[in-house]
Amino acid sequence: MKNILFAFILIGLSVSAFAQSGPPAGDAKVGEFYGQDVSAKAVKKAISTDELNKELKATPKIAKTSVKGKVTGVCPKKGCWVSLATDSGETFFVKMKDYAFFVPTALEGKTVVLEGSAESKTTSVKELQHYAEDAKKTQTEIDAITEPKTETRFLASAIKVVE
């Protein structure tokens, strides 16, 4: 019985030691990257968020692309998503592929190049409310989300700070 109890305690300590309690620390300086490094070629060929939105009107999913934009928000809970500004004043939502990396909140306001895949997706009310909760919105703001939203979603395998 003592061995079983010891095993559960050991597993619990291991899990809590690896659990992330917030976004990673860091200043998000030019040249820093998260996930894989973004190649110089991808940085040079990166398109704007609005160009990507135009491409997604012709095809619902793009398997591999690079996009350049300014970060307008970072998940304050873990750094597990970011949003980018578009020229049309909307937001562009980015998640990290396979939840494999996180970004510091210092990334907000920086210009980045993303590498990954994109699609036009309808996000459920429940998921939108979850992201609002992560962003520390008020309960009133969360409750005001009552309709699903069709938006561009980006799954990033790499993010590099370029400005």
Side-chain angles (χ1 to χ4, degrees):
M1 185 67 167
K2 284 183 179 181
N3 288 340
I4 293 172
L5 182 60
F6 178 73
F8 279 115
I9 290 172
L10 188 59
I11 290 169
L13 289 173
S14 297
V15 169
S16 65
F18 290 106
Q20 184 171 331
S21 61
D27 297 328
K29 294 180 181 173
V30 171
E32 290 183 359
F33 63 91
Y34 307 94
Q36 302 169 8
D37 193 2
V38 178
S39 69
K41 182 179 178 181
V43 169
K44 188 175 181 178
K45 294 179 88 177
I47 60 175
S48 72
T49 55
D50 285 349
E51 288 175 272
L52 180 64
N53 284 334
K54 286 176 190 171
E55 287 184 21
L56 286 171
K57 287 182 180 172
T59 181
K61 190 168 187 173
I62 299 170
K64 187 171 182 182
T65 188
S66 58
V67 177
K68 183 177 181 179
K70 186 172 186 174
V71 177
T72 58
V74 175
C75 173
K77 195 171 185 178
K78 283 191 172 187
C80 59
W81 56 259
V82 299
S83 57
L84 300 183
T86 65
D87 293 337
S88 57
E90 300 199 6
T91 57
F92 180 94
F93 192 79
V94 180
K95 289 175 77 171
M96 306 344 167
K97 183 176 182 186
D98 299 328
Y99 213 59
F101 63 96
F102 304 111
V103 298
T105 55
L107 198 61
E108 191 166 337
K110 307 290 174 119
T111 300
V112 298
V113 171
L114 314 167
E115 273 190 310
S117 62
E119 67 181 324
S120 182
K121 179 184 176 201
T122 300
T123 307
S124 70
V125 170
K126 185 176 181 177
E127 191 173 356
L128 290 169
Q129 288 175 334
H130 170 77
Y131 295 134
E133 187 178 304
D134 281 355
K136 300 185 179 179
K137 301 287 184 180
T138 66
Q139 191 60 49
T140 303
E141 291 172 301
I142 294 168
D143 292 341
I145 300 169
T146 59
E147 297 289 325
K149 181 179 178 184
T150 300
E151 60 189 344
T152 298
R153 299 294 292 266
F154 198 93
L155 192 58
S157 58
I159 299 176
K160 185 170 194 166
V161 182
V162 294
E163 291 176 30

